[in-house]
Amino acid sequence: MTAMKKWNLIIDVAKCENCNNCMLTTRDEHVGNDFPGYAAPQPLHGHNWIKIHRKVRGQDGMVDAAYRPTMCNHCDDAPCVKAAGDGSVYQRPDGIVIIDPQKARGRRDIVDACPYEGIFWNEELQLPQKWIFDAHLLDQGWKQPRCQQSCPTGVYWAVKVEDDEMQALVKKHRLEVLRPELNTRPRVYYKNLHRFAKCFVGGTVVAEVDGVLDCVAGAHVTLTRQGRQVATTQSDTFGDFKFDALDPGSGEYQVEIVDERLGSAQASATLAEESCYIGLIRLQPGVPHGSGIHAGARRAHA
């Protein structure tokens, strides 16, 4: 028996700039427009079927912001389908979950069934509603939903493939899903989710050159934890370095920096629940690396 190709959506968190084009085009598609069998009109106010969440990490001289779009996850084991219990919410053979705009009337309990907060209540129509993956357009031959079509930075990638092919993409691109512990088996996957869910340790390498304290580019930086090397990198043009995708609350890390011309230094940082910027780390000429001399230490703010 030939396996069925199903729709999946890949979202690259690192590419989202919070322009909200995806949300606006979804509203443009559904506000005031009735698509029988797919969705009743979306209300003008109160519904964000695609919503952008913001996460700010770091402090002092190193801060970044990440944006994570969220919507209905079109789960293979969808809690909303179970909560409906009568077929008013169902998953199509192509993986798209639909709330029947007629059969689901009056079922406010379906809203609370979604652990991703992807379902909204239309008070006027007494109807639960959500993002439908633009199924009405895909069924007409469209190759992508409007959120992908309208995104100027390439955040979205809708793919219709067999499940084995999708899992190969998951492995290749290191994709993740939201709240995997729920085992709902979402069809919305995230790339670079660490920008939203993990922490970084960063700092700035400086040294005195001709009597002036200046940034050091190209210094070799090593991150270790409990005596084991975690990662290596080099300082950039501004002397900055960053080790990302570290677990919150993972404890103390050591940083060793070596520059063949300007010397070496060490620093430490402790990750609590937030990212940590160590600050300026000044290289000491003639100090052998591994000597135990620390240029500074910081603890991430809880």
Side-chain angles (χ1 to χ4, degrees), residues 40-221:
Q42 180 181 358
L44 182 60
H45 301 292
H47 284 207
N48 285 331
W49 292 1
I50 298 180
K51 184 176 181 180
I52 311 296
H53 296 266
R54 184 181 71 167
K55 173 73 172 182
V56 178
R57 305 185 302 165
Q59 66 269 158
D60 302 330
M62 187 172 288
V63 177
D64 68 27
Y67 304 97
R68 186 196 70 198
T70 58
M71 66 282 283
C72 168
N73 276 243
H74 295 274
C75 308
D76 280 347
D77 193 11
C80 58
V81 173
K82 292 180 179 178
D86 59 358
S88 57
V89 186
Y90 62 95
Q91 186 173 40
R92 306 188 335 172
D94 64 0
I96 295 176
V97 174
I98 295 292
I99 298 176
D100 189 292
Q102 294 297 326
K103 295 179 180 179
R105 289 186 183 274
R107 295 294 304 274
R108 188 162 192 161
D109 57 303
I110 292 173
V111 175
D112 297 329
C114 178
Y116 306 101
E117 299 182 348
I119 302 178
F120 300 82
W121 180 247
N122 187 322
E123 185 66 29
E124 179 182 357
L125 299 179
Q126 292 290 292
L127 181 68
Q129 294 181 293
K130 66 175 189 64
W131 181 65
I132 63 170
F133 215 117
D134 287 347
H136 63 303
L137 299 177
L138 299 178
D139 288 350
Q140 294 175 32
W142 284 48
K143 303 302 182 183
Q144 54 188 227
R146 287 196 65 182
C147 61
Q148 179 176 347
Q149 180 199 50
S150 64
C151 180
T153 57
V155 172
Y156 298 98
W157 179 25
V159 291
K160 189 178 185 182
V161 294
E162 296 176 7
D163 287 345
D164 288 347
E165 294 178 75
M166 189 61 219
Q167 290 311 303
L169 290 174
V170 168
K171 184 176 181 180
K172 178 180 178 180
H173 297 285
R174 298 181 180 179
L175 305 180
E176 302 175 73
V177 297
L178 297 181
R179 303 191 66 182
E181 73 278 2
L182 298 177
N183 295 316
T184 59
R185 294 186 289 151
R187 291 197 166 271
V188 173
Y189 295 87
Y190 290 86
K191 184 177 181 179
N192 292 311
L193 189 58
H194 68 269
R195 291 284 306 277
F196 211 88
K198 300 286 187 177
C199 294
F200 69 76
V201 167
T204 303
V205 184
V206 296
E208 187 173 326
V209 180
D210 298 329
V212 178
L213 195 64
D214 201 359
C215 301
V216 177
H220 184 75
V221 189

Side-chain angles (χ1 to χ4, degrees), residues 201 225-226 247-254 269-272 298-300:
V201 167
R225 178 173 178 266
Q226 296 179 348
D247 290 330
S250 52
E252 187 173 355
Y253 291 83
Q254 289 73 44
T270 301
L271 279 185
R298 285 291 298 272
R299 178 180 180 85

